[in-house]
Amino acid sequence: MTRIVISDATMKQASEELRLSFKEKIELSKLLDKLGVDLIELDGIKNPRIDALLIKSVAAAVNNSRIAVPVELLNEENLEKTWAALKTAKNPRLQVCASTSAVQIEYLFHKKPDTMIEAISQTVRACRALCDDVEFVAGDATRSESDFLAKAVETAVAAGATTVTLCDTAGEMLPSEFAAFIRKQYDTIPALGKVTLGVCCSDRIAMADACAVMAVAEGAGQIRAAARTLSEASLANVIRILAAKSDALNACIGANTTQLSRIIAQVDRLCNTGKNQNVPAASDQDDGIFLTAHDTEEAVAAATVRLGYDLSEEDAQKVYAAFKQIADKKEKVSFKELDAIVASSAMQVPTTYKLDTYVITSGNTISATAHIKLMKNDKPVEGVYIGDGSIDAAFQAIEKITGCHYELDDFQLQAVTEGREAMGQTVVKLRSDGKVYSGRGISTDIVGAGIQAYLSALNKIVYEEEIE
C-alpha cells in the first residue's frame, strides 16, 4: 500500500475571508499536527523579521508534521534567511515554486523558457545542499507545453528534488481529464518514477477533491489540500475519501480520522475568530506545560521563544532571575505565569504614555463607551470609542489616541487576592513588526488593570521604535 502524504496549505491561501493573526497561525499549526497532517505549508519570507519569527514559532510548536517553506528563484539571500528560520524544525522542507506555462513564465516571472530551466536547476541544487527534503512545485502545469513541463521536471529531479508537485491552477479539469493528465506525465517523464508525485488542484468548479483522489489512483503520492478551504481541495473530504477507499486505491494515510470532525470544527472556529482582530480573547490553556526550579536558563529562554518573545540577552537574564525567585517557592511555574514574569521583568522603559483618567459606560441595553485621557510626555491627549465590551472600547480608545494599531496577541486576567475586593492582574501582549511586547497591570478594577497593562506594552513598543 502506498502511504499518501497529506499536505495542508490553509495559511498560503490569500483572501480577505481568511485573515489569521500570528498567534492564530501557531494554534492552527498545532491543530494540524494533532490531526496527523504530514506537511504544513507556510508562506515564504517577505518581511524577514515577521515571517522568520513565524516559521521559527511554528517549528517550535509542531512535533510531528513536516514544515515546508518556499524560496525565491535565484535569490541566495532569501534562501539563507529561509533556511536560518526553518532549520530549527524537526522535519524541514524547502520548496522551489516555478510556473511551467508559457504565459505565466513571461508575465509573472518575466523570464524566457531557457532562463527558467536554469533558474530551477540552480535553485533546487542550492536548496538540496542545505536540506535533504526539497519539493519542486510546477505551477499551472496542466496548461503547460508537454515538452517544457517534462524538461522542467527532469531538471528539478536531476538537481535533487525529492518531491514534484503538479498544479492544476486553472481548476477547469474533470476528474477523468486530470487522471489522464497524470497518467500521461508518468508515461512521458521517466524521472517521476524516482520521486514522490504531488498534486495541487484548484476548486474553481468544485472538482478539486475528486481530481486529487483520481490522481492517487494513477500513482500520485501527495495531495495538497486545506483545512479551511477557499481555493484548494478540502482536507476533511480528501482524508475521509482516502480512509474509506483505502483498499480500492491501494493507499493509506496517517491522519487521525477519529478526531477529524472535532479538529476541523476547531479550525473553523479559529478561522472565523480571525475575522475580528480587535476583540481581545482569554488566553488559551497551557496544555499541562510548566517549568520547575530545576530548569536551566536555556530552558526558560526557549519557553519565552515559544510564547512568542524575542528577548535580548540582558532581558533573558532578568526573566530567569525573576523566574528562579518564584520557582524556588512553588513546585511548578506555568507558561501563563512566565508571561507575567516577562511582562514585569523584561524591557522596563521610560513612560511615554501615562494614564490620567478613564470613564467607562456600559450596560445590557447600551454599547460600551470608553473616554480615556492620557499624558504623553506630560501633555494631555484623549479619545472616545464605542466598542464591543468595556475592555475592547478602552483598547480601541487608546489606539485612537496614539494613532497606531498593534495586533492584540493575548489578554490574560487572573485574581491575585481573594474576596469581594480582590486584586486582579492582567497581562496584555501586543505584537509589532513580528515581535511580542507584554505589559502587566494590577488593580481592583478589571478595566483599570487592563488599561495599565496595555499602556505598559505600548510604552515598550514606542521606546524601541524611537531608538531604532
Side-chain angles (χ1 to χ4, degrees):
M1 245 183 210
T2 303
R3 173 71 156 75
I4 306 301
V5 175
I6 304 297
S7 174
D8 182 272
T10 300
M11 286 179 275
K12 295 181 79 171
Q13 298 177 112
S15 172
E16 288 296 317
E17 297 179 41
L18 187 64
R19 297 176 60 189
L20 297 175
S21 68
F22 190 100
K23 184 181 179 183
E24 286 165 343
K25 291 179 180 179
I26 303 299
E27 292 306 311
L28 175 57
S29 300
K30 291 180 180 178
L31 288 173
L32 295 172
D33 186 46
K34 190 174 183 179
L35 179 59
V37 168
D38 298 287
L39 192 69
I40 299 173
E41 300 191 33
L42 302 178
D43 279 321
I45 291 182
K46 295 179 181 176
N47 184 317
R49 185 171 181 177
I50 297 176
D51 298 334
L53 181 59
L54 174 64
I55 294 169
K56 290 180 181 178
S57 300
V58 170
V62 168
N63 294 317
N64 301 307
S65 299
R66 282 177 274 177
I67 308 297
V69 181
V71 300
E72 296 177 3
L73 291 173
L74 298 177
N75 189 330
E76 185 176 345
E77 181 181 1
N78 176 261
L79 174 58
E80 290 176 354
K81 290 179 179 178
T82 301
W83 181 242
L86 182 61
K87 66 181 180 182
T88 58
K90 297 180 180 66
N91 301 294
R93 171 181 286 190
L94 291 171
Q95 293 178 319
V96 177
C97 304
S99 179
T100 52
S101 70
V103 173
Q104 290 196 2
I105 289 173
E106 183 174 354
Y107 291 101
L108 293 183
F109 287 86
H110 309 293
K111 295 182 182 298
K112 297 297 182 182
D114 290 344
T115 307
M116 178 61 81
I117 293 295
E118 183 59 28
I120 292 171
S121 177
Q122 291 186 27
T123 307
V124 171
R125 189 173 288 108
C127 289
R128 187 57 193 268
L130 298 172
C131 181
D132 291 335
D133 190 358
V134 179
E135 178 182 2
F136 170 61
V137 181
D140 208 21
T142 54
R143 293 190 294 187
S144 303
E145 294 182 6
S146 298
D147 291 343
F148 183 80
L149 177 61
K151 189 174 183 180
V153 170
E154 289 169 350
T155 298
V157 174
T162 53
T163 299
V164 171
T165 294
L166 304 180
C167 301
D168 179 22
T169 308
E172 297 176 348
M173 282 189 166
L174 293 172
S176 57
E177 293 175 318
F178 192 63
F181 170 78
I182 296 298
R183 189 161 54 248
K184 178 183 177 182
Q185 306 318 307
Y186 271 118
D187 291 340
T188 59
I189 311 176
L192 285 178
K194 304 175 184 177
V195 297
T196 299
L197 173 62
V199 294
C200 170
C201 305
S202 169
D203 201 33
R204 181 181 176 188
I205 59 173
M207 288 289 176
D209 303 346
C211 286
V213 172
M214 288 300 293
V216 170
E218 296 298 335
Q222 176 178 304
I223 294 177
R224 177 192 287 180
R228 178 59 180 267
T229 181
L230 298 175
S231 56
E232 306 278 354
S234 164
L235 181 71
N237 289 347
V238 166
I239 290 176
R240 289 190 183 103
I241 295 170
L242 292 179
K245 306 301 292 183
S246 175
D247 291 338
L249 295 169
N250 193 33
C252 62
I253 55 174
N256 189 344
T257 56
T258 59
Q259 296 195 54
L260 179 61
S261 296
R262 185 174 64 85
I263 291 180
I264 293 298
Q266 290 178 294
V267 170
D268 285 340
R269 286 195 294 271
L270 184 69
C271 293
N272 284 330
T273 301
K275 293 180 180 179
N276 188 351
Q277 300 293 341
N278 294 321
V279 180
S283 175
D284 296 324
Q285 297 300 316
D286 291 327
D287 295 327
I289 301 173
F290 57 86
L291 299 167
T292 70
H294 301 294
D295 282 300
T296 64
E297 183 174 348
E298 289 74 19
V300 174
T304 62
V305 172
R306 184 166 181 176
L307 288 170
Y309 296 108
D310 182 17
L311 301 180
S312 66
E313 184 176 346
E314 180 182 356
D315 281 331
Q317 292 173 353
K318 291 179 181 178
V319 168
Y320 183 69
F323 161 79
K324 284 292 290 181
Q325 290 180 354
I326 294 175
D328 288 339
K329 298 176 183 177
K330 57 185 300 186
E331 184 179 350
K332 301 175 182 178
V333 177
S334 70
F335 271 34
K336 282 186 179 181
E337 291 171 316
L338 183 60
D339 252 342
I341 292 172
V342 174
S344 59
S345 304
M347 281 192 67
Q348 300 307 307
V349 299
T351 301
T352 301
Y353 289 98
K354 184 179 180 181
L355 177 64
D356 185 15
T357 61
Y358 69 91
V359 177
I360 307 294
T361 304
S362 64
N364 64 345
T365 59
I366 61 173
S367 299
T369 304
H371 180 189
I372 295 181
K373 182 179 179 181
L374 305 177
M375 301 298 292
K376 181 182 180 183
N377 298 324
D378 297 325
K379 294 182 180 180
V381 288
E382 57 187 315
V384 179
Y385 199 90
I386 299 174
D388 184 13
S390 300
I391 294 292
D392 179 59
F395 290 179
Q396 297 277 18
I398 295 174
E399 286 189 5
K400 187 174 181 180
I401 293 170
T402 62
C404 298
H405 170 73
Y406 301 105
E407 180 184 322
L408 180 57
D409 191 78
D410 199 3
F411 175 76
Q412 301 176 19
L413 172 64
Q414 51 190 272
V416 177
T417 58
E418 299 179 353
R420 296 179 63 181
E421 296 182 355
M423 295 286 288
Q425 173 181 271
T426 60
V427 173
V428 168
K429 295 167 70 175
L430 300 179
R431 189 175 295 277
S432 173
D433 199 19
K435 186 175 179 179
V436 172
Y437 300 80
S438 64
R440 176 172 172 263
I442 296 180
S443 175
T444 54
D445 176 19
I446 294 173
V447 178
I451 293 173
Q452 290 177 13
Y454 192 101
L455 291 176
S456 175
L458 174 65
N459 282 324
K460 294 174 183 179
I461 296 175
V462 172
Y463 178 75
E464 188 158 301
E465 288 178 345
E466 288 177 350
I467 291 177
E468 291 178 352

